[in-house]
Amino acid sequence: MDGQFDSNPLARVPLKAVVIIHFVLTIWASQSGFLPDAYLIMNITIIFCGLWAIAHSESIDSIQMYLFLHVISIAMDIIFLAVFFDTPYKDSSSVKFSKTMSIINLLVKPLSSFILLVHFRNRGGQYSSYPSPSASGYENVDQPLPSNSQVEAANSPTSFQKPYIPQ
């Protein structure tokens, strides 16, 4: 986003803020141990992808990987919370705090996914690598090709010349 101005207010949110917010919420959600280690490993891996996207600010691949994993983590967080929310832990204040932070982390992820999508688009990323029907590469085969009267037709050679072979 160096020097770019976008009408979308989400474009003004720096990538660093997204990574830091999710880092803090992940650590707070994992502190009491009611979630499995896979929750922490998944979110830290995604945070490393975010750091990669920050370090390579012109790379489309880094922000695309961060966005893709971030969206997948929404479904994974829902599964983790559905399976491990009612655990045999006594509901101490630490466990309640961790559960609250994991829910807040889950609720913030869709908003941060839209922020990542805006950054992805600003870096030149496309939603799909498949061409759309309105793309300029589409050619209607039913219509004749336009002709340009200024272009001369190439003349076919009248005789075949043998190539020079040194002796």
Side-chain angles (χ1 to χ4, degrees), residues 10 13-15 18-19 22 46 50 53 63-71 109-122:
L10 295 178
V13 177
L15 221 51
V18 173
V19 171
H22 285 293
I46 293 167
I63 192 77
Q64 184 179 22
M65 180 66 79
Y66 186 35
L67 174 63
F68 179 72
L69 291 177
H70 198 74
V71 170
K109 281 188 177 186
L111 175 66
S112 58
S113 294
F114 283 116
I115 294 169
L116 294 176
L117 182 63
V118 169
H119 283 275
F120 175 66
R121 295 293 295 162
N122 284 346

Side-chain angles (χ1 to χ4, degrees), residues 3-105:
Q4 291 181 0
F5 293 102
D6 196 342
S7 62
N8 192 338
L10 295 178
R12 293 184 182 90
V13 177
L15 221 51
K16 292 176 186 177
V18 173
V19 171
I20 289 170
I21 287 169
H22 285 293
F23 175 75
V24 170
L25 289 173
T26 299
I27 296 301
W28 283 347
S30 301
Q31 75 181 4
S32 71
F34 88 95
L35 287 168
D37 292 339
Y39 177 84
L40 183 63
I41 292 169
M42 176 191 67
N43 282 300
I44 294 298
T45 303
I46 293 167
I47 288 169
F48 279 129
C49 284
L51 294 174
W52 177 37
I54 292 169
H56 297 278
S57 61
E58 299 298 320
S59 172
I60 295 173
D61 293 335
S62 62
I63 192 77
Q64 184 179 22
M65 180 66 79
Y66 186 35
L67 174 63
F68 179 72
L69 291 177
H70 198 74
V71 170
I72 288 176
S73 75
I74 294 171
M76 295 300 296
D77 283 355
I78 292 170
I79 293 170
F80 283 134
L81 288 174
V83 172
F84 295 101
F85 196 78
D86 291 329
T87 58
Y89 290 102
K90 104 180 159 172
D91 280 340
S92 65
S93 60
S94 172
V95 172
K96 288 179 185 177
F97 180 75
S98 291
K99 287 180 179 181
T100 305
M101 291 302 113
S102 63
I103 292 170
I104 291 173
N105 192 18

